[in-house]
Amino acid sequence: MGIRLIVEVLTDAPETLTHREKLLLVVLAEDANDDTRVTWNSVERPEVLRGAKLSRSQLYAVLKSLSTKGVVAKLSAGQKNGTAKYRISAFEASQCPGIPDTDAPSQGPSSADTDGSQCPETPDTDANGQCPENADTEPSQCQEIRDVSVPESGTPTPLYPSSTTPSASKQESQPPALLDYGIPEAARPLVDGLTAAGVIVRWPFKGNAWFPVLALITKSGVPAMVDHAIKAASRTSVESANYFLKGWGELPPLPAPGVERPPLRAVSGGYQPYKQPTPEDRAADLGHF
């Protein structure tokens, strides 16, 4: 699995890619080798179609578009004993150490301020709207103009309506809005599952950085990822969810639709709970030897 390649796709992929093309590229990067950038398995797998939210016909249309844009290259066609191989092209890094900043320093010792509106020699252009000689231009509080917040009946609207007022009861009947805190809806079961299990970690993902987590959820499922995180956290102190990414990437994919769990072999006599052996039992066991 190419976690490093996924991050590269998210950060350095061309801006000309559509959302559908970029999502498929992330799914392909998840299956590709980090070093060779070549995919391992078939692109027609259900995991690919499900992760990229595409049908089979749409898949090849998006692959053709990625190939036209020079992002993906087809190395070999699918055959009877092999699958088609695709290689993800190398991207030009948006900001490498060897590339200097192209933006000129906007505030340096050699760059004088270009905004002279507040220089000592420049007078304020804003007229003194509140000087004693200038009357207020807002007439809403004049005595001859009725306050629009007071109805014709003369009873003003209370600032804090009681629970008996219609407006307050209407607001109370509406459920409070759920806060997502920047967490995608598809990742919320994973975050809640770890928190409920007592694995309290930071989730330092922002925006597109959630794509690898969402791809892993699609591949292996939330229960398997939560179980792995609980076991890993029991062995060491974990502060960030980034710690689990490598282990999550090595989890097996979800079983194909229609695969049933193999039946377990029945034990003769049925289940028997463990009992502490008595001295008689030990004596009986010694008599067998």
Side-chain angles (χ1 to χ4, degrees):
M1 175 181 177
I3 291 293
R4 187 185 68 192
L5 191 55
I6 291 176
V7 175
E8 183 179 344
V9 169
L10 295 175
T11 56
D12 298 332
E15 297 293 337
T16 56
L17 298 183
T18 64
H19 292 291
R20 178 176 290 184
E21 293 169 349
K22 193 166 187 179
L23 182 56
L24 176 58
L25 198 60
V26 168
V27 176
L28 294 179
E30 187 272 334
D31 180 62
N33 182 283
D34 269 340
D35 299 323
T36 63
R37 310 173 75 91
V38 177
T39 57
W40 290 96
N41 303 298
S42 171
V43 295
E44 295 184 0
R45 291 179 301 137
E47 294 86 350
V48 175
L49 300 178
R50 184 169 59 248
K53 306 295 189 294
L54 298 171
S55 63
R56 187 174 182 275
S57 59
Q58 292 172 338
L59 170 71
Y60 285 102
V62 178
L63 280 174
K64 182 179 180 181
S65 178
L66 289 173
S67 177
T68 302
K69 294 181 179 181
V71 179
V72 169
K74 187 174 183 179
L75 301 182
S76 62
Q79 300 176 357
K80 182 178 181 181
N81 296 325
T83 59
K85 298 295 182 181
Y86 292 85
R87 181 176 60 202
I88 300 176
S89 304
F91 310 117
E92 295 183 1
S94 57
Q95 184 64 51
C96 295
I99 303 177
D101 289 334
T102 55
D103 293 337
S106 59
Q107 185 67 42
S110 59
S111 303
D113 289 336
T114 56
D115 187 4
S117 59
Q118 295 299 319
C119 294
E121 62 274 9
T122 305
D124 289 337
T125 56
D126 187 9
N128 295 329
Q130 295 299 320
C131 293
E133 61 274 11
N134 295 335
D136 289 337
T137 57
E138 178 58 54
S140 60
Q141 297 301 321
C142 296
Q143 296 181 357
E144 61 274 10
I145 300 179
R146 183 180 63 83
D147 192 348
V148 295
S149 64
V150 180
E152 295 294 339
S153 61
T155 304
T157 303
L159 181 60
Y160 300 100
S162 63
S163 59
T164 57
T165 58
S167 58
S169 61
K170 182 178 180 180
Q171 292 177 358
E172 291 179 356
S173 63
Q174 297 177 354
L178 296 177
L179 300 177
D180 56 9
Y181 299 101
I183 302 174
E185 182 180 356
R188 196 59 188 260
L190 175 63
V191 177
D192 292 345
L194 289 183
T195 304
V199 182
I200 311 300
V201 293
R202 295 182 293 106
W203 295 86
F205 310 109
K206 304 293 182 183
N208 291 342
W210 280 100
F211 275 5
V213 180
L214 298 179
L216 291 169
I217 291 174
T218 303
K219 172 194 170 189
S220 301
V222 170
M225 296 172 68
V226 171
D227 182 69
H228 170 80
I230 292 175
K231 294 177 181 177
S234 66
R235 296 190 297 267
T236 184
S237 177
V238 182
E239 297 183 355
S240 172
N242 267 324
Y243 179 84
F244 304 124
L245 284 180
K246 185 177 184 300
W248 283 342
E250 297 173 354
L251 292 174
L254 292 170
V259 176
E260 298 182 357
R261 181 178 179 180
L264 300 178
R265 182 176 60 86
V267 179
S268 61
Y271 168 75
Q272 297 294 333
Y274 173 77
K275 294 182 180 180
Q276 185 71 20
T278 63
E280 292 78 7
D281 295 334
R282 296 192 184 96
D285 293 336
L286 293 175
H288 293 297
F289 294 98

